[in-house]
Amino acid sequence: MQSPAELTVDLRQLVITIAHTVDLVGVDDLLHGRRVGMLAAELAKRMGWSDAERVMLYDAGLLHDCGVSSTRVHRRLVDDLEWEGAQEHCDRGFALLKDFPPLAHLAPIILYHHTRWEQFDPAMQVQDTARYANLIYLADRIDVLAAPYQADQTVLEHSSAIRERLAAERGRLFSPELVDAFLALSEEEAFWLALRPDWVQQYQAQIESFADSRTIDWAGIKQCAEIFAAIIDAKSSYTEQHSRGVARLARHLAARLGLDWASCEKIEVAGLLHDIGKLQIPDEIIEGTNPLTEHEFDLMKGHSYGTLQVLWRLQAIQDIARWAAYHHETPDGHGYPFHLRGDDLPLPARIINVADVFQAMAQDRPYRAAMAPEKILSTLQERVAAGSADADVVAALAADLQNCHRIALATGA
Ligand SMILES: [Fe+2]
Ligand SMILES: [Fe+2]
Ligand SMILES: [Fe+2]
């Protein structure tokens, strides 16, 4: 196996993978961040800003909503032009990125991307942070007003009304120069036509072709995986620390099963990433107290497949992506979504499966209280007897039960 120390991923691919992850929260409109990125880059170009600023603002647009994990919050942000609860996701997004050096420069922009232009004092208004953040704010609000007309392709019909609505915010929500640039640019039909899904994805490919790209080493990949986990776990108070608990426990079990350092490192990262696809599940299903309907269960079954799809760009970590995506596969072949069994189901995936079940049962859920470790173990042993959990992994857990329970629930790093 390739040592993690030798693994690198491309920063550009990583940024797009985070964007794809964050966009899942849109549930059935999965291009909000990418449209905002495109609008931001086009506005920056119109303002006469440099190519480097244009690419940077594209990235800021891609990631501007990284502080939104809840589908309910997402809906509020796209339903209202101004929502009094908007600042919280800006604060969250800032906190997520500020300590990750490759993306830390975007954190202040995200922090102020719902700040009204008139709220900045004059000294702040001349600073780049305020100008950039206000541009993201405008790009975001353009998309919010135009998005309802994407599905039936009637954006052009509504473009005048959108222009008037935003012109009314000149000097209030948005800087006068920005609004003027928007009004000039949006006279062109092309501005609105570019928002169609195919063209948004084509735009992404164009930006990728000239954006400079650095590589991220294993330490950076791990740090970024923690950011992914924080985004995933912020979805609901019930899932707080879930991914991080699964990751630590899976690593601990892997070490107890005698796996080498390289495997333990990768298993921990797979644990951090395993539930990426859950971001697309509406909060009401995650937090519901009734048994899932068949349709809801079908939606749930899509989440681990979603994890695999989102991670496809990160070629260097495809083994990790598969282990993450197989976390609902079971040794008897009755898991989902691939029905893997025998040698096709690798040990790291079996470990993450057990760690996932254990951690989830150790936490409160809307429909039951947290279970005691002994009770979780007996449930897992029943699963082993039925063929739906790995015997060796559960034996390793049984041999160190209290410690495993502590690790699964430990908060913080
Ligand atoms: Fe947004
Ligand atoms: Fe899951
Ligand atoms: Fe999970």
Side-chain angles (χ1 to χ4, degrees):
M1 186 192 302
Q2 194 180 9
S3 163
E6 298 158 16
L7 287 181
T8 58
V9 300
D10 182 297
L11 176 60
R12 183 110 316 258
Q13 301 305 327
L14 190 60
V15 167
I16 293 171
T17 302
I18 302 172
H20 198 164
T21 297
V22 172
D23 275 345
L24 290 176
V25 185
V27 181
D28 51 14
D29 174 7
L30 300 182
L31 289 171
H32 173 65
R34 283 165 280 183
R35 285 194 304 260
V36 171
M38 184 181 78
L39 289 164
E42 286 302 295
L43 287 167
K45 194 167 145 195
R46 182 76 197 191
M47 297 286 285
W49 298 353
S50 69
D51 277 357
E53 284 175 303
R54 185 177 157 208
V55 174
M56 188 272 293
L57 286 161
Y58 183 71
D59 290 349
L62 289 183
L63 304 183
H64 77 283
D65 274 341
C66 65
V68 185
S69 302
S70 147
T71 57
R72 234 179 256 128
V73 169
H74 187 274
R75 224 173 296 132
R76 285 307 304 265
L77 286 165
V78 299
D79 282 352
D80 302 350
L81 192 69
E82 271 192 284
W83 172 43
E84 70 284 357
Q87 187 55 36
E88 193 195 343
H89 83 283
C90 305
D91 297 340
R92 270 178 192 271
F94 172 78
L96 282 167
L97 298 188
K98 73 177 174 34
D99 298 321
F100 182 52
L103 299 177
H105 60 288
L106 303 177
I109 302 174
I110 290 173
L111 180 63
Y112 294 114
H113 87 272
H114 277 264
T115 301
R116 298 196 302 271
W117 184 252
E118 63 181 11
Q119 279 177 291
F120 290 118
D121 61 40
M124 182 80 182
Q125 284 182 349
V126 294
Q127 289 179 20
D128 285 346
T129 300
R131 294 190 301 125
Y132 296 155
N134 199 241
L135 181 136
I136 297 296
Y137 191 16
L138 176 59
D140 181 46
R141 297 298 93 182
I142 296 168
D143 189 54
V144 159
L145 292 173
Y149 311 114
Q150 295 301 346
D152 62 0
Q153 297 192 21
T154 56
V155 181
L156 275 182
E157 268 171 57
H158 295 90
S159 60
S160 303
I162 297 171
R163 282 160 49 83
E164 277 166 33
R165 179 72 191 84
L166 292 170
E169 302 298 341
R170 188 178 185 278
R172 195 181 86 87
L173 292 192
F174 314 115
S175 86
E177 303 83 65
L178 254 178
V179 172
D180 294 344
F182 159 66
L183 291 174
L185 191 57
S186 62
E187 272 177 14
E188 300 166 11
E189 285 83 359
F191 177 84
W192 303 98
L193 295 170
L195 293 167
R196 271 175 47 183
D198 292 357
W199 314 145
V200 171
Q201 303 197 32
Q202 206 157 296
Y203 193 90
Q204 176 184 312
Q206 285 167 12
I207 287 256
E208 274 177 61
S209 68
F210 71 84
D212 88 301
S213 208
R214 281 169 284 162
T215 51
I216 304 295
D217 64 9
W218 182 246
I221 294 171
K222 278 183 76 178
Q223 195 184 353
C224 197
E226 297 282 349
I227 295 174
F228 275 96
I231 293 172
I232 300 159
D233 290 353
K235 179 166 184 60
S236 158
S237 58
Y238 292 105
T239 55
E240 201 185 331
Q241 295 291 331
H242 169 69
S243 302
R244 287 162 281 190
V246 169
R248 310 296 177 244
L249 177 57
R251 185 193 182 111
H252 180 72
L253 290 171
R256 286 192 66 92
L257 285 160
L259 275 71
D260 60 14
W261 175 83
S263 302
C264 290
E265 285 278 291
K266 289 173 148 189
I267 287 170
E268 184 172 0
V269 168
L272 291 168
L273 301 176
H274 78 282
D275 268 342
I276 284 178
K278 254 195 193 158
L279 287 164
Q280 198 177 2
I281 311 281
D283 296 359
E284 294 76 11
I285 296 180
I286 301 285
E287 296 184 344
T289 48
N290 296 322
L292 296 182
T293 64
E294 209 179 321
H295 173 64
E296 289 169 344
F297 191 53
D298 285 347
L299 287 179
M300 276 300 267
K301 277 181 171 172
H303 84 273
S304 47
Y305 187 69
T307 298
L308 187 63
Q309 293 298 338
V310 168
L311 292 173
W312 76 269
R313 294 171 177 283
L314 306 179
Q315 281 307 311
I317 62 159
Q318 283 308 294
D319 49 352
I320 294 173
R322 278 192 300 278
W323 301 344
Y326 295 166
H327 74 273
H328 287 288
E329 300 289 343
T330 55
D332 58 8
H334 291 146
Y336 62 84
F338 297 111
H339 297 239
L340 298 176
R341 63 168 79 218
D343 290 345
D344 290 334
L345 184 56
L347 179 59
R350 294 166 185 252
I351 292 172
I352 293 164
N353 170 262
V354 169
D356 181 44
V357 172
F358 187 91
Q359 205 289 338
M361 288 184 175
Q363 278 186 315
D364 285 330
R365 285 293 178 265
Y367 46 88
R368 57 146 176 82
M371 292 162 60
E374 295 74 16
K375 175 79 181 110
I376 304 174
L377 179 61
S378 66
T379 307
L380 278 165
Q381 284 166 336
E382 283 165 25
R383 290 194 184 202
V384 170
S388 61
D390 186 275
D392 295 339
V393 180
V394 174
L397 182 93
D400 192 28
L401 185 61
Q402 297 308 327
N403 208 16
C404 286
H405 185 249
R406 190 184 53 73
I407 291 167
L409 290 184
T411 52

